Every structure is written in structure tokens, then in C-alpha cells.
Amino acid sequence: MKRTSIGQVECPVARALDKIGDWWSLLIIRDAFDGMRRFGEFQRSLGISKGILTARLKHLVAIGVLEMTPISDEDGYQEYLLTDKGRDLFLVTVSLRQWGEDHCFGKSEHHSVLVEKANGQRVQRLALRGRDGKEISESATFVRKVADTPRRPHNPKRRRAARR
Amino acid sequence: MKRTSIGQVECPVARALDKIGDWWSLLIIRDAFDGMRRFGEFQRSLGISKGILTARLKHLVAIGVLEMTPISDEDGYQEYLLTDKGRDLFLVTVSLRQWGEDHCFGKSEHHSVLVEKANGQRVQRLALRGRDGKEISESATFVRKVADTPRRPHNPKRRRAARR
DNA sequence: CAGTATCCCCCCTGATACTG
DNA sequence: CAGTATCAGGGGGGATACTG
């Protein structure tokens, strides 16, 4: 009964979620950012079953977010490393972290924090900025669909009703 | 067969994903940012079945990301509006969008873009900044676990081995 | 239109056992 | 240790029919 496909629409959010929007992928990626690279490390950290972990790692390798490299001169075993594409997901984890910190902890609960190596201080909160570099709010923006994007002079009959 | 719970760990990323990390929630939220508020709007936009949509909307209302408000003086019907907590998810969608734009479209494919209302220009890319406001890379940061957080002077026997 | 109710199937998930 | 293989169960998911 295949899930409705969300991977072919024009919305980048949908395409991104289609690739890494499942329950485990981002947690694996988070752990990878945290320095984990071995199968067993992920498994213990996540409390995930081996079968699922195998499938998820394969998927992440397949879409180019992780890469497998043999461990130097040891036999057989592999390590899972983030690719550049995978590292580009960092801000996704940061934005989730920020929201989690703000809304998912009780007053008396403590959580891990993202800090700078250089000085041990917490990083700044993420902020949306306009072209001029000044911070702007969500309400000052909107999503312009492809169909509404200004085209070159000779405008063919405007495509309509494309799903975002 | 309950999924392994990831909602009680000390990692804000995990807690956030536990709440809004399923396949549909962020897409519903994206649509809400896009101005959708009616059941039918979401349904048509997402191509999701009614049953699932009902469940997802209920969940999002339950965790305080959406709120239901009766439509003024019409009978019966409701609208689903983002709460402040929900609006705080904006940067999550932006970071996903950014990654999607970079890695999920072919050279010849077009996608929607996030622009400023004021001038119609695309917003800046998100960037991580240190305390001093200067942009820093992922490799210049690390996650400090609660157990490793410096405590007040009289240090009780350091808690160890907490799961992030 | 906005759901609720039902049915059914598939697959995701977890557990366990097995292999190199 | 790093998987593969297999199994069982539950629930997510789609489709359709029904209600106010």
C-alpha cells in the first residue's frame, strides 16, 4: 500500500523529508556528528534493532549521506562516515536541537548543549536573515512557487496548479 | 511492539524528533506556514488519507503546535492555526529546505524559494554563529553532555554514562 | 466540507538465532 | 564485532463508505 510519494514535488522541504525524514535517519546522523562511526556504537546509542539499523545505514549510504570505508589494515570491518552532503545536514540537527531545548524540557531538566571548541561557550541561536543580513521573522517571508516565479520576457502560458 | 522511546533522553534533538519527527507532521506544519488552515486544504495538498490526517492534526494540537479555533460565526467548522510553539519550528523547515535545495534537485529542475515580502529577494542561507557572531563550521563545535557540564564548586561524584 | 468508522494490507519494528 | 536471516505483531497507511 505504498506511502504517498512526496519525493517529486517542487518543494525542497518535501524532498528533503522524503530522503531523511524517517524516525531513525536524523538520529543516526546526529550520532555521526557526535563522532560515532561503528555499527555497534550506533546500535548501543540508539537502542535500535540490528535489522533496522542495517537498513537505515544502507539507505543513508545509498543516498550519499554516509560512506563506508574499510577500517585501516584491520580485516573486514567498516566505518560509516559523513559525506559532505551528510555534513550539510548539520543545521537541520541544530534547528531541531534549538526547538527541543525550548519546548521539550521541563524547568528542572537538563539537556546537552552545543558549544564552541574554541571557548566552550554555547553557539548562538540560529536566525533567519534577509539579503541585507538583518534578522527577519517568519511573517516577513513567503514561499514563491515555481509557477509564480517571474520568467524571461516571452512568457509561455504560465504553468498553473503545480503542487508547491 | 512499541517503538523504542526516544523522548526521555537528554538530547534535545531526540526529544524534538520524538514529537514532530514522523513522516507527516513537518509537512503539515510547512503547509500551515504557507497559510493553510482547513482540513481539506491539508488533505488536498498532501494527498494524505483522511484518517491519518485526523490523527496527525490531533497529535499536533495535543502537543501544542497547532490550535483549533472555530471559524468565526460559521457553524461547526474549525481552523488549525500554528501556535507560538509551532511557529518556532520555522527554522527547522528552513534548514530542511536549504538542504533539499542543495541536494535534492537536478540541474534542470526548479523548486519553490523562500523570499522576503519586503523586496521579493531570497533570504540568506542559514549559518551557525559563535558567541561573537562570527560564522563557524560544524567541526568547530561539539555537544557537551549534561554529565560533562561543569558544576558548582563542591562537585558530587560526577554522574557518568548518561545517554546524551 | 469535515470528519468518523471500517477494512485490510503491508512494512516497520523488535527479538532472537545464526554466521564469519 | 558486524552483520544476515527469519519470524511475529502492531500500527501506519490508503481506500471507501457513511454522517452531520
Side-chain angles (χ1 to χ4, degrees):
Chain A
M1 203 58 63
K2 281 297 284 140
R3 281 189 39 254
T4 304
S5 172
I6 56 173
Q8 292 311 313
V9 288
E10 74 177 57
C11 174
V13 180
R15 292 217 185 176
L17 286 173
D18 188 57
K19 294 201 169 186
I20 47 87
D22 67 281
W23 281 105
W24 293 114
S25 291
L26 279 171
L27 287 173
I28 293 172
I29 289 159
R30 173 206 64 177
D31 280 352
F33 278 122
D34 227 35
M36 297 189 189
R37 20 179 88 183
R38 302 285 292 258
F39 188 92
E41 291 182 300
F42 291 115
Q43 210 220 333
R44 277 189 304 280
S45 165
L46 299 173
I48 189 178
S49 82
K50 292 176 164 194
I52 307 294
L53 180 56
T54 300
R56 282 294 170 279
L57 287 173
K58 276 192 176 136
H59 171 71
L60 291 173
V61 169
I63 64 174
V65 161
L66 293 180
E67 60 185 349
M68 285 178 74
T69 64
I71 298 179
S72 57
D73 79 8
E74 299 254 338
D75 51 348
Y77 297 147
Q78 314 273 338
E79 287 190 325
Y80 298 89
L81 300 179
L82 286 165
T83 61
D84 286 339
K85 181 173 177 178
R87 253 182 306 270
D88 280 351
L89 282 165
F90 190 59
L91 292 189
V92 174
T93 70
V94 173
S95 61
L96 282 167
R97 161 176 290 277
Q98 188 167 297
W99 189 81
E101 290 175 348
D102 291 345
H103 299 289
C104 301
F105 286 82
K107 207 51 176 151
S108 63
E109 290 181 299
H110 294 272
H111 56 74
S112 60
V113 293
L114 184 64
V115 300
E116 279 184 85
K117 285 180 183 167
N119 53 29
Q121 297 199 68
R122 293 182 65 176
V123 302
Q124 271 194 11
R125 294 176 60 85
L126 287 177
L128 187 66
R129 292 168 196 276
R131 248 305 182 269
D132 58 5
K134 283 204 293 215
E135 196 168 330
I136 57 179
S137 76
E138 174 269 323
S139 58
T141 70
F142 72 102
V143 171
R144 188 170 57 208
K145 300 181 179 49
V146 171
D148 298 332
T149 303
R151 295 263 176 238
R152 302 290 172 267
H154 28 68
N155 187 333
K157 41 196 83 109
R158 286 283 189 110
R159 294 194 303 114
R160 271 287 160 196
R163 287 248 318 280
R164 296 203 67 183
Chain B
M1 202 57 62
K2 282 297 286 138
R3 282 190 37 253
T4 304
S5 172
I6 55 173
Q8 291 311 313
V9 289
E10 74 177 59
C11 174
V13 180
R15 291 217 187 176
L17 286 173
D18 189 57
K19 295 201 169 186
I20 47 87
D22 67 281
W23 280 105
W24 293 114
S25 291
L26 279 172
L27 287 173
I28 292 172
I29 290 160
R30 174 206 64 176
D31 279 351
F33 278 122
D34 227 36
M36 297 189 190
R37 19 179 89 185
R38 302 285 290 260
F39 187 93
E41 291 181 303
F42 292 115
Q43 210 220 333
R44 276 188 305 280
S45 165
L46 299 172
I48 189 178
S49 80
K50 291 176 163 192
I52 306 294
L53 180 57
T54 300
R56 283 294 170 279
L57 287 173
K58 276 191 175 135
H59 171 71
L60 291 173
V61 169
I63 65 175
V65 161
L66 294 179
E67 60 185 349
M68 284 178 74
T69 64
I71 299 179
S72 58
D73 78 10
E74 299 254 338
D75 51 347
Y77 298 148
Q78 314 273 338
E79 287 189 324
Y80 297 90
L81 301 178
L82 285 165
T83 62
D84 287 340
K85 182 174 177 178
R87 251 181 308 268
D88 281 352
L89 282 166
F90 191 59
L91 292 189
V92 174
T93 69
V94 174
S95 61
L96 282 167
R97 160 176 290 276
Q98 188 167 298
W99 188 80
E101 291 175 349
D102 291 346
H103 298 289
C104 301
F105 285 82
K107 209 42 175 158
S108 64
E109 288 181 300
H110 294 272
H111 55 74
S112 61
V113 293
L114 184 64
V115 299
E116 280 185 84
K117 284 179 183 167
N119 52 29
Q121 298 199 67
R122 294 182 63 175
V123 303
Q124 270 194 13
R125 294 175 62 84
L126 288 177
L128 187 66
R129 292 167 196 277
R131 249 303 184 268
D132 58 6
K134 283 203 293 214
E135 196 168 330
I136 56 179
S137 75
E138 173 269 324
S139 58
T141 69
F142 71 102
V143 172
R144 187 169 60 207
K145 299 179 179 50
V146 170
D148 299 331
T149 303
R151 294 268 176 232
R152 302 290 170 267
H154 30 69
N155 188 332
K157 41 193 85 101
R158 287 284 190 105
R159 295 195 302 112
R160 271 286 159 196
R163 284 248 319 280
R164 299 203 67 183

